[in-house]
Amino acid sequence: MLDKLEAINQRFEEVSQLLIQPDVASDMKKFKALNKEYKDLDKIVTEYKKYKNILSNIDNAKQVIATEKDEDFREMAKEELDELLPQRDAMEETLKELLIPKDPNDSKDIIMEIRAGAGGDEASIFAGDLFRMYSRFAEKHGWKMELMDATEGTSGGYKEIIVGVSGEDVYGKLKFESGVHRVQRVPATETQGRIHTSVASVVVLPEAEEFDVEIDMNDVRKDLFCSSGPGGQSVNTTYSAVRLTHIPTGIVAQCQDQKSQLKNFDKALAVLRSRIYEVELAKKNEAEGAQRKSMVGGGDRSDKIRTYNYPQGRVTDHRIGYTVYNLPAVMDGGIDDFVEELRIAENAERLKEGATAE
């Protein structure tokens, strides 16, 4: 492990030097890639330096115990060693986790799509509840959420809502939210007090940057239409809503949130680019044999991943068998436990894969 860490330290020094070179600063694509690598390596190198310091202190303490004649000094060194050894073990576990190969998309922003499924009006209301849950979670992490497109439900909530979320490690934290979310509760419209089951699907796409996917605009058909929904005077009178169709793949994206046609076009293009990127990524992973249907990620989008049971106040993640009984806190954005448990499960799988490969 030390050899690996030393090699990372050397690469960190190289990248630090490269970032101040004029030719790199003038090449935005190269600069962005190196800057991302610098941030990723910095986390490991910081911990590595702490680890080296602990190892040095352990050696010094052992040296004192072995050579010092004064009993008091030797006793102090033994006490220091008793403190240092657990620190070393904990630091080794931290470093092992940091050395697990990361998903290169983890640091990307995302486009999140939430759609009501089976369950009529109640499914739309639940889709709205999920949107609020993710909004609160984003708020707690200091992320920025921006509406791309939305179709409201007839009794509240959303039939479909698409948002962009930007911040630090957004995809890394929210990628496991993709799948079918199921709610069990008595709907507000239910007079007999019966529990209904409704579902909403969530799709989390890493937001593709321009250099991730090259789109030939000659392959894109642009349709303009009148916005529907809230928006005042300009709604249903100006053709500001934009629908883009990528002809080779048939992938469609639209945006009608802004009054400006130009802003709607930019947002729709961002969604289109990310959808195409996801398709290309899936093809690439399949070709490399990396698209494993794992316990955590890589499963089918139609897989039921989580149940929200209101009468029991229970939320269960079916992929890892993890259950909590604090549903109100979860619906208020408290999904940190799920995010962390799913991350741990993914890391365990990656470690297992690494051990098999070695």
Side-chain angles (χ1 to χ4, degrees), residues 55 127 233 247:
L55 290 184
Q233 298 290 323
I247 295 160

Side-chain angles (χ1 to χ4, degrees), residues 284-293 353:
K284 179 171 167 280
N285 286 340
E286 216 172 314
E288 291 170 1
Q291 186 73 343
R292 67 204 190 293
K293 185 145 186 171
E353 279 178 6

Side-chain angles (χ1 to χ4, degrees), residues 77-322:
K78 280 178 188 171
E79 284 175 16
E80 189 184 3
L81 192 61
D82 287 343
E83 283 178 21
L84 288 167
L85 292 174
Q87 285 179 27
R88 179 197 64 189
D89 296 344
M91 191 58 82
E92 281 176 358
E93 286 305 311
T94 302
L95 285 165
K96 272 182 199 165
E97 197 172 298
L98 285 170
L99 288 173
I100 296 167
K102 293 280 185 290
D103 180 337
N105 286 319
D106 276 359
S107 58
K108 285 187 183 291
D109 295 339
I110 65 161
I111 286 168
M112 176 180 269
E113 306 177 355
I114 304 171
R115 291 184 182 85
D121 288 346
E122 171 63 8
S124 296
I125 292 166
F126 178 52
D129 293 340
L130 288 177
F131 168 64
R132 182 181 178 277
M133 179 179 85
Y134 292 124
S135 301
R136 298 285 293 122
F137 183 72
E139 204 178 287
K140 286 174 186 175
H141 283 80
W143 296 341
K144 185 185 170 204
M145 190 177 260
E146 192 179 9
L147 184 66
M148 299 279 198
D149 196 29
T151 306
E152 293 183 0
T154 48
S155 299
Y158 298 96
K159 286 179 183 172
E160 176 184 77
I161 182 162
I162 300 169
V163 293
V165 188
S166 54
E168 193 178 336
D169 290 334
V170 180
Y171 184 71
K173 286 198 167 72
L174 289 178
K175 62 184 173 183
F176 300 125
E177 295 302 304
S178 282
V180 175
H181 295 243
R182 179 175 73 166
V183 65
Q184 294 170 325
R185 64 185 175 191
V186 179
T189 52
E190 169 60 52
T191 53
Q192 305 296 314
R194 288 171 300 196
I195 294 168
H196 287 226
T197 297
S198 306
V199 298
S201 66
V202 175
V203 177
V204 177
L205 307 172
E207 186 170 353
E209 295 175 63
E210 281 180 47
F211 55 79
D212 289 325
V213 177
E214 282 182 28
I215 298 176
D216 183 347
M217 292 313 289
N218 293 321
D219 291 337
V220 177
R221 189 178 75 236
K222 176 180 169 184
D223 296 310
L224 303 177
F225 59 101
C226 292
S227 297
S228 58
Q233 298 290 323
S234 61
V235 171
N236 295 327
T237 57
T238 57
Y239 285 84
S240 59
V242 176
R243 185 183 295 113
L244 301 178
T245 306
H246 187 242
I247 295 160
T249 59
I251 292 170
V252 179
Q254 68 176 44
C255 181
Q256 55 177 342
D257 175 52
Q258 301 289 327
K259 290 175 184 173
S260 152
Q261 186 192 119
L262 201 61
K263 283 180 182 172
N264 282 333
F265 176 81
D266 289 343
K267 283 188 177 184
L269 186 60
V271 174
L272 187 72
R273 189 181 290 120
S274 296
R275 286 179 181 166
I276 293 169
Y277 178 62
E278 195 210 17
V279 170
E280 287 184 5
L281 206 60
K283 278 186 200 161
K284 179 171 167 280
N285 286 340
E286 216 172 314
E288 291 170 1
Q291 186 73 343
R292 67 204 190 293
K293 185 145 186 171
S294 74
M295 173 178 69
V296 184
D300 198 283
R301 264 194 205 161
S302 59
D303 288 350
K304 181 186 70 185
I305 63 162
R306 199 175 293 152
T307 294
Y308 305 76
N309 184 301
Y310 275 70
Q312 296 172 12
R314 169 177 64 83
V315 184
T316 298
D317 196 290
H318 304 289
R319 294 162 293 181
I320 52 174
Y322 183 70

